[in-house]
Amino acid sequence: MTEASSADGYSMRRETERVVNEVAQGLRTLDGGVDWFSGLSPACRQEALQEVTGYAMQAHITAADGRAGVARSGVKPTANPAVMICMDPPRYGFSGLPAAEHVTAFRVLVSVFTVADTRRRETYCEGGCGHHWHNLATTTEQQ
Ligand SMILES: [Zn+2]
């Protein structure tokens, strides 16, 4: 294994996108996603965290999504990332947290994204959509 350089930033982001959306769509467990994240180098974790933060922002999560996501994340509601995501509006400075809290932040963020993205898939996206990340299973099989 070699340390990922900045040239790998693009593939790092694609990998993050795949893992997070697999969790959100039930193709991978949250623990499986956290295992993947835990195996990254500290620099890659920070980058992945920034990426997932962007997904959460794009999904327009609400304080209610935050609470629902924290409840299913297995993280204590008093942990820093859990407190931040439940604020109204949420605070998004997760990659600025101490490195020791990055795994917890990832767990919270992916859980909350799952809540908000599931709602989007069941309403706006029902019957098909152009979001490539909502068509993970079919992208390679059918077209
Ligand atoms: Zn969609």
Side-chain angles (χ1 to χ4, degrees), residues 9 12-17 19-20 33 36-38 40-56 94-95 102 105-106 109-110:
M12 182 63 221
R13 286 193 296 276
R14 292 307 303 265
E15 178 82 356
T16 304
E17 179 183 82
V19 170
V20 170
W36 169 81
F37 184 79
S38 302
L40 299 174
S41 71
C44 286
R45 280 186 213 168
Q46 191 151 19
E47 196 169 337
L49 210 47
Q50 275 171 350
E51 188 70 10
V52 187
T53 301
Y55 303 159
F94 296 98
S95 58
H102 284 180
F106 180 81
L109 271 171
V110 174

Side-chain angles (χ1 to χ4, degrees), residues 62-126:
T62 64
D65 294 337
R67 287 191 295 274
V70 169
R72 56 188 282 166
S73 71
V75 174
K76 281 187 299 184
T78 51
N80 280 329
V83 171
M84 288 163 67
I85 203 76
C86 289
M87 287 180 162
D88 190 13
R91 275 181 54 205
Y92 283 113
F94 296 98
S95 58
L97 286 167
E101 296 193 78
H102 284 180
V103 172
T104 309
F106 180 81
R107 187 179 275 279
V108 165
L109 271 171
V110 174
S111 288
V112 175
F113 172 75
T114 297
V115 170
D117 190 66
T118 299
R119 182 180 57 230
R120 181 165 58 171
R121 275 183 279 110
E122 288 173 350
T123 55
Y124 178 81
C125 300
E126 206 199 1

